């Protein structure tokens, strides 16, 4: 199957031009990678489990989970990422399997996985209907009492970045921010080609509602970066042991604070498929 059938041309071009492989090795990506591992570990089943990482990119998280002894299945629509993931898996003693596909059509049987991670789908499915299909598919292949961990971009993300960087005073950037704040739709203006391709930016309560609507039991929403990245000397302070401890303690104290979630560019929701007779 050609990946052009799975995702929009604009999204594919964006990821072919960008380097998802190196993004987690520099800047905010370094801290994002470590933080997301901490969040996932809160919900990892004891012992060997079946985990599906949907939209898992080049397989960095899949490799980490496989090395922990889990049976990991990476589902990814970008061919470039698939090839990198194959090379990564081949170097592991406990390999993970790789599947070209996307969230709205999972080629797994019902009640298959103990844990499902939705890493990218909610970013790039702009309509609620498409996101509903993706969530429904995840629910279908999840075992009873299994967990879904889904990542979303906050509706405030561009606006906060724009205020901190001064980009808010560029008219096209400001118009984009207004659209995100009002509708959640993110479409990068032509004079900012380096911005994320077409996407959807969630309000925290809206994200929760989309999962509850699918008869999934809400557990918690976590800030990924939290508000600590607003520290004006964030990168320097994260490399200072004492100051890093202060920032991480602040993150821990505020990670589930619904009022402070909009200060975090990304968030993770945890939901459970409770066993239900007749379902």
């Amino acid at each position: 199957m050609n990946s052009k059938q799975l995702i929009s041309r604009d999204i594919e071009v964006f990821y072919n031009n960008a380097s998802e492989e190196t993004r987690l090795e520099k800047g905010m990506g370094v801290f994002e990678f470590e933080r997301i591992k901490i969040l996932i570990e809160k919900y990892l089943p004891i012992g060997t489990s079946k985990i599906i990482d949907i939209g898992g990119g080049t397989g960095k998280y899949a490799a980490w989970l496989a090395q922990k002894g889990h049976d990991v299945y990476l589902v990814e629509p970008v061919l470039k990422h698939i090839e990198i993931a194959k090379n990564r898996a081949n170097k592991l003693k406990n390999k993970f399997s790789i599947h070209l596909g996307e969230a709205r059509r999972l080629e797994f049987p019902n009640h298959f996985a103990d844990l499902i991670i939705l890493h990218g789908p909610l970013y790039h499915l702009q309509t609620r209907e498409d996101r509903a299909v993706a969530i429904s598919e995840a629910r279908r292949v999840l075992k009873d009492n299994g967990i879904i961990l889904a990542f979303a971009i906050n509706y405030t993300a561009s606006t906060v970045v724009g205020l901190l960087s001064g980009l808010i005073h560029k008219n096209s950037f400001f118009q984009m921010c207004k659209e995100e704040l009002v509708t959640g739709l993110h479409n990068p203006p032509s004079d900012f080609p380096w911005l994320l391709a077409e996407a959807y930016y969630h309000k925290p309560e809206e994200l929760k509602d989309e999962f509850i609507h699918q008869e999934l039991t809400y557990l918690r929403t976590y800030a990924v970066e939290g508000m600590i990245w607003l520290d004006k000397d964030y990168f320097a302070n994260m490399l200072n042991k004492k100051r890093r401890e202060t920032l991480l303690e602040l993150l821990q104290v505020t990670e589930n604070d619904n009022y402070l979630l909009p200060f975090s560019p990304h968030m993770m929701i945890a939901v459970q498929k409770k066993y239900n007779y007749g379902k």
Side-chain angles (χ1 to χ4, degrees):
M1 183 183 288
N2 190 311
S3 64
K4 290 182 179 62
Q5 297 173 287
L6 301 178
I7 54 174
S8 82
R9 177 68 181 155
D10 286 346
I11 294 172
E12 184 169 38
V13 167
F14 172 80
Y15 282 112
N16 280 336
N17 290 335
S19 177
E20 184 65 14
E21 177 65 3
T22 59
R23 186 183 68 79
L24 295 175
E25 296 172 0
K26 58 188 179 184
M28 289 286 288
V30 176
F31 306 120
E32 178 188 329
F33 184 54
E34 294 306 316
R35 170 66 174 162
I36 287 176
K37 287 194 291 185
I38 290 169
L39 291 177
I40 292 173
E41 279 190 312
K42 291 176 185 287
Y43 293 94
L44 277 182
I46 297 169
T48 300
S49 59
K50 287 183 179 178
I51 301 173
I52 307 177
D53 186 3
I54 304 171
T58 60
K60 287 201 170 184
Y61 294 103
W64 166 68
L65 290 164
Q67 286 172 307
K68 285 180 166 290
H70 299 287
D71 295 329
V72 185
Y73 304 80
L74 174 75
V75 178
E76 171 61 35
V78 179
L79 281 168
K80 174 186 173 183
H81 294 170
I82 290 281
E83 293 308 312
I84 296 171
K86 284 179 181 175
N87 290 333
R88 174 167 275 120
N90 286 336
K91 295 173 184 173
L92 299 177
K93 185 177 180 182
N94 187 38
K95 297 176 175 22
F96 58 92
S97 64
I98 298 155
H99 306 261
L100 179 66
E102 61 97 33
R104 290 166 293 180
R105 187 178 177 184
L106 299 175
E107 296 184 358
F108 297 95
N110 297 350
H111 309 289
F112 177 80
D114 300 287
L115 175 69
I116 292 176
I117 302 170
L118 290 172
H119 249 134
L122 299 187
Y123 294 1
H124 290 302
L125 295 174
Q126 287 192 317
T127 70
R128 182 163 177 135
E129 291 76 18
D130 278 337
R131 295 193 299 276
V133 173
I135 294 168
S136 176
E137 270 290 87
R139 185 186 188 282
R140 177 185 66 77
V141 303
L142 189 66
K143 292 179 183 177
D144 290 331
N145 298 315
I147 300 285
I148 297 173
L149 302 178
F151 293 87
I153 302 173
N154 235 311
Y155 76 115
T156 54
S158 298
T159 304
V160 177
V161 169
L163 287 167
L164 291 173
S165 65
L167 287 174
I168 201 75
H169 299 290
K170 302 281 188 181
N171 185 56
S172 61
F173 193 94
F174 179 49
Q175 296 305 321
M176 176 190 75
C177 290
K178 285 200 298 182
E179 183 72 14
E180 291 165 8
L181 292 169
V182 175
T183 70
L185 292 174
H186 163 80
N187 292 296
S190 58
D191 52 337
F192 287 93
W194 46 270
L195 290 175
L196 184 67
E198 61 189 64
Y200 189 80
Y201 291 4
H202 277 85
K203 292 181 178 178
E205 280 302 310
E206 175 189 30
L207 178 66
K208 178 180 174 181
D209 182 66
E210 288 185 7
F211 282 87
I212 291 174
H213 195 70
Q214 298 281 347
E215 297 182 345
L216 289 157
T217 301
Y218 174 74
L219 300 176
R220 276 190 135 169
T221 305
Y222 297 83
V224 175
E225 301 87 351
M227 64 191 304
I228 66 171
W229 74 285
L230 298 173
D231 179 352
K232 67 183 180 65
D233 296 316
Y234 175 74
F235 292 105
N237 289 335
M238 284 295 277
L239 297 174
N240 176 299
K241 186 175 183 294
K242 191 172 188 310
R243 292 186 173 192
R244 178 188 175 97
E245 286 174 0
T246 299
L247 290 174
L248 292 181
E249 186 175 346
L250 175 60
L251 177 55
Q252 190 173 11
V253 168
T254 59
E255 67 181 5
N256 302 120
D257 188 320
N258 287 334
Y259 294 103
L260 297 177
L261 274 174
F263 288 106
S264 180
H266 298 87
M267 51 190 164
M268 183 192 85
I269 189 170
V271 298
Q272 188 171 25
K273 179 183 177 180
K274 295 283 192 181
Y275 180 75
N276 192 353
Y277 288 101
K279 290 281 183 182

